[in-house]
């Protein structure tokens, strides 16, 4: 059990479960175009076991059963993402009618079940034709994204309860263009600096298009990590500060203060696009809320061999999840307090939190993880931080990107051979808290 009650979070607090299109949908049919994750995953060596999202949880066909699980768990909301290549197979231009019809069914299915649709426009599946034109390194991505946002606004805007522009811009830019671990798999500081700016510029143009179309309750989803030095050495403190800069301060500063941190601007130097300053007003326009995804902390050491950004991550001493990530609920409390104290205040949502655990349906460690992180949220609220909701990651076991299907994050177990769904003990724990059974 979670040891908490719904009422501990006050009236109106939203509980939800989260997923993302490429990780669960499969359904690469009915006119869906190719995405950068299709080609990245199909390239040997990029994804563990050569797994791809071709079938995933077959949510494209099994969505009614999945929405029943959301409803029966007592969740108020379902966080899902639109697949850009399903709606616009070429990335721009003519929409795919069958793609529009799929999300019509999905959203109406939520509304029929009394579930609030909490959507994300971009959770990493860039249409391949746009990558062919430079992807996130090309400034034009901001205009392509605005057109895509306008399409979603026109067709679905009045049925959505909330809408985020981008999920985890750090992953879109840094993990994918500097560390090379996600699609498109680049390791290039110039492409990185450009993507770091363009992903936020696209957030700005997308947000403006959504506002123009009258869509309500708009935000962005940032993944944040508490950066801590691996030792008492001053150079490790510098490494932690730099990591904090590229991971947290760049994105928080951009969207909440219309300002980038000077230390990171200096490191990117002339790799940043010309006249990036001119875009900050658009990037920093007011949000209705900011989403925070939290999983772990970053323990950092100085790594002089790493060039312009001389940091490296080290393993820490704390208990870890099956992803090897330290379990650190104190970090969530401290991050929430920091965002609240150091940035202009907007309502916050925990848009993702969860852990990869060993296979099986008995998952006491996962239940404990949720209990401890929910307690951190409760304490932050008690201290005055305006947190309006919490989404567990994830509803289902799914395609965990470069880790393929090996890492199991689901409240519900998925047997990928039979596609059978089995609720885990952690799902029952949420259900007990949310339905007060
Ligand atoms: O699976 C991912 C998700 O797509 C984005 N946030 C982190 C999760 C766990 O790694």
């Amino acid at each position: 059990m979670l040891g908490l009650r719904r009422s501990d979070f006050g009236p109106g607090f939203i509980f939800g479960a989260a997923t993302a299109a490429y990780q669960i949908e499969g359904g690469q049919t009915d006119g869906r175009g190719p995405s950068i994750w299709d080609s990245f995953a199909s390239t040997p060596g990029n994804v563990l076991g050569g797994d791809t999202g071709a079938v995933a949880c077959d949510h494209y066909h099994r969505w009614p059963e999945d929405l029943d699980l959301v409803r029966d768990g007592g969740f108020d909301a379902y966080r899902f993402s639109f697949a850009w290549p399903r709606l616009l197979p070429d990335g721009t231009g003519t929409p795919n009618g069958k793609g529009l019809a799929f999300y019509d069914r999905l959203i109406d299915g939520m509304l029929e079940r009394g579930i609030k649709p909490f959507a994300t426009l971009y959770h990493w599946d860039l249409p391949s034709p746009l990558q062919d034109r430079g992807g996130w390194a090309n400034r034009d991505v901001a205009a392509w994204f605005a057109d895509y946002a306008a399409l979603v606004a026109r067709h679905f805007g009045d049925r959505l309860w909330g809408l985020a522009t981008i999920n985890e811009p750090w992953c879109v830019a840094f993990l994918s263009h500097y560390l090379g671990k996600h699609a498109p798999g680049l390791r290039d500081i110039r492409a990185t600096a450009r993507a770091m700016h363009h992903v936020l510029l696209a957030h700005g143009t997308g947000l403006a298009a959504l506002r123009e179309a009258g869509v309500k309750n708009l935000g962005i989803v940032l993944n944040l990590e508490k950066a801590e030095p691996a030792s008492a050495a001053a150079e490790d403190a510098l490494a932690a500060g730099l990591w904090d800069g590229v991971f947290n301060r760049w994105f928080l500063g951009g969207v909440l203060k219309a300002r980038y941190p000077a230390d990171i601007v200096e490191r990117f130097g002339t790799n940043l696009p010309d006249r990036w300053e001119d875009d900050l007003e658009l990037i920093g326009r007011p949000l209705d809320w900011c989403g925070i995804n939290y999983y772990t902390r970053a323990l950092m050491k100085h790594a002089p061999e790493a060039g312009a950004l001389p940091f490296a991550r080290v393993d820490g001493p704390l208990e870890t999840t099956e992803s090897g990530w330290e379990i650190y609920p104190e970090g969530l409390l401290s991050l929430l307090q920091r965002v609240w104290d150091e940035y202009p205040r907007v309502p916050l949502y925990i848009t993702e939190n969860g852990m990869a655990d060993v296979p099986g349906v008995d998952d006491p460690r996962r239940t404990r993880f949720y209990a401890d992180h929910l307690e951190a949220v409760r304490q932050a609220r008690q201290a005055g931080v305006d947190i309006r909701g919490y989404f567990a990651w994830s509803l289902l076991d799914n395609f965990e990107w470069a880790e393929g299907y090996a890492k199991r994050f689901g409240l519900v177990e998925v047997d990928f051979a039979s596609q059978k769904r089995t609720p885990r003990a952690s799902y029952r724990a949420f259900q007990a808290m949310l339905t007060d059974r």
Side-chain angles (χ1 to χ4, degrees), residues 207-282:
L207 191 74
L210 297 170
R211 293 246 187 260
E212 168 82 24
V215 186
K216 302 280 188 297
N217 204 21
L218 305 175
I220 188 171
V221 170
L222 306 180
N223 51 323
L224 302 182
E225 274 182 2
K226 181 130 192 282
E228 296 183 349
S231 79
E235 48 189 18
D236 287 351
L238 182 69
L242 277 179
W243 184 259
D244 183 53
V246 292
F247 206 100
N248 302 318
R249 287 183 286 120
W250 182 271
F251 301 101
L252 286 166
V255 300
L256 296 177
K257 289 186 173 170
R259 198 186 310 151
Y260 289 152
D263 53 340
I264 307 302
V265 167
E266 189 188 324
R267 300 280 166 162
F268 284 141
T270 53
N271 292 310
L272 281 167
D274 290 342
R275 304 190 53 183
W276 54 268
E277 297 93 332
D278 296 351
D279 299 323
L280 288 174
E281 183 278 325
L282 185 59

Side-chain angles (χ1 to χ4, degrees), residues 19-20 23 79 123-124 167-168 171 182 223 293 295 323 325 352 354 393-394 398-401 409:
T19 65
Q23 294 180 271
R79 180 169 175 247
H123 200 125
W124 308 352
N167 180 74
E168 301 186 353
C171 296
H182 278 190
N223 51 323
N293 293 355
Y295 289 91
S323 305
W325 301 345
E352 286 181 27
W393 183 272
S394 179
N398 58 46
F399 177 79
E400 174 58 8
W401 309 110
F409 275 88

Side-chain angles (χ1 to χ4, degrees), residues 53-388:
V55 178
C57 306
D58 192 28
H59 176 76
Y60 186 69
H61 299 108
R62 295 168 194 265
W63 60 268
E65 182 183 352
D66 296 338
L67 293 187
D68 286 350
L69 285 163
V70 176
R71 179 200 56 207
D72 295 347
F75 294 101
D76 310 300
Y78 176 52
R79 180 169 175 247
F80 69 104
S81 74
F82 292 103
W84 188 345
R86 193 181 292 293
L87 291 174
L88 287 166
D90 297 322
T92 58
T94 311
N96 172 26
K98 290 189 173 167
L100 292 167
F102 169 66
Y103 292 109
D104 275 334
R105 292 194 292 278
L106 187 67
I107 293 167
D108 290 345
M110 288 179 228
L111 297 175
E112 281 157 18
R113 288 168 178 78
I115 300 166
K116 295 177 167 51
F118 199 86
T120 302
L121 285 176
Y122 186 72
H123 200 125
W124 308 352
D125 40 2
L126 189 75
S128 300
L130 300 185
Q131 185 62 38
D132 298 340
R133 293 154 78 181
W136 291 102
N138 183 347
R139 182 181 175 86
D140 291 347
V141 73
W144 304 331
F145 187 73
D147 289 347
Y148 164 51
L151 171 74
V152 169
R154 268 198 310 280
H155 282 267
F156 309 109
D158 57 349
R159 283 175 284 163
L160 299 176
W161 187 80
L163 182 58
T165 52
I166 307 270
N167 180 74
E168 301 186 353
W170 178 83
C171 296
V172 176
F174 201 86
L175 186 64
S176 309
H177 294 78
Y178 190 80
L179 300 176
K181 299 207 168 145
H182 278 190
L186 300 184
R187 301 206 61 233
D188 182 313
I189 195 166
R190 191 168 175 82
T192 304
R194 278 150 199 274
M196 291 282 281
H197 180 60
H198 294 152
V199 72
L200 290 185
L201 180 59
H203 157 74
T205 56
L207 191 74
L210 297 170
R211 293 246 187 260
E212 168 82 24
V215 186
K216 302 280 188 297
N217 204 21
L218 305 175
I220 188 171
V221 170
L222 306 180
N223 51 323
L224 302 182
E225 274 182 2
K226 181 130 192 282
E228 296 183 349
S231 79
E235 48 189 18
D236 287 351
L238 182 69
L242 277 179
W243 184 259
D244 183 53
V246 292
F247 206 100
N248 302 318
R249 287 183 286 120
W250 182 271
F251 301 101
L252 286 166
V255 300
L256 296 177
K257 289 186 173 170
R259 198 186 310 151
Y260 289 152
D263 53 340
I264 307 302
V265 167
E266 189 188 324
R267 300 280 166 162
F268 284 141
T270 53
N271 292 310
L272 281 167
D274 290 342
R275 304 190 53 183
W276 54 268
E277 297 93 332
D278 296 351
D279 299 323
L280 288 174
E281 183 278 325
L282 185 59
I283 289 171
R285 293 220 180 138
L287 294 171
D288 300 316
W289 52 269
C290 181
I292 294 176
N293 293 355
Y294 178 80
Y295 289 91
T296 188
R297 70 170 171 177
L299 212 50
M300 304 304 296
K301 70 167 187 190
H302 180 59
E305 69 284 2
L309 296 166
F311 49 50
R313 213 172 169 123
V314 300
D315 290 338
L318 305 177
E319 181 189 346
T320 59
T321 70
E322 289 299 295
S323 305
W325 301 345
E326 286 186 299
I327 299 175
Y328 193 47
E330 301 85 341
L332 175 57
L333 179 57
S334 131
L335 270 172
L336 288 167
Q337 195 67 61
R338 176 190 180 192
V339 171
W340 196 242
D341 290 344
E342 294 182 14
Y343 290 88
R345 294 178 170 177
V346 288
L348 303 175
Y349 286 85
I350 307 303
T351 31
E352 286 181 27
N353 180 227
M355 69 174 271
D357 204 351
V358 291
V361 292
D362 278 334
D363 56 350
R365 261 184 12 119
R366 185 184 278 112
T367 304
R368 163 58 55 86
F369 180 101
Y370 278 123
D372 291 347
H373 287 79
L374 279 167
E375 173 59 18
V377 173
R378 193 192 64 77
Q379 285 180 22
R381 277 178 53 87
Q382 207 168 36
V385 184
D386 183 6
I387 307 162
R388 306 252 174 119

Side-chain angles (χ1 to χ4, degrees), residues 9-80:
F9 298 86
F13 191 86
I14 303 285
F15 281 96
T19 65
Y22 190 79
Q23 294 180 271
I24 64 165
E25 281 181 6
Q28 299 191 349
T29 178
D30 288 346
R32 174 199 178 274
S35 84
I36 54 173
W37 266 95
D38 297 319
S39 49
F40 185 77
S42 304
T43 308
N46 284 341
V47 175
L48 204 68
D51 292 343
T52 75
V55 178
C57 306
D58 192 28
H59 176 76
Y60 186 69
H61 299 108
R62 295 168 194 265
W63 60 268
E65 182 183 352
D66 296 338
L67 293 187
D68 286 350
L69 285 163
V70 176
R71 179 200 56 207
D72 295 347
F75 294 101
D76 310 300
Y78 176 52
R79 180 169 175 247
F80 69 104

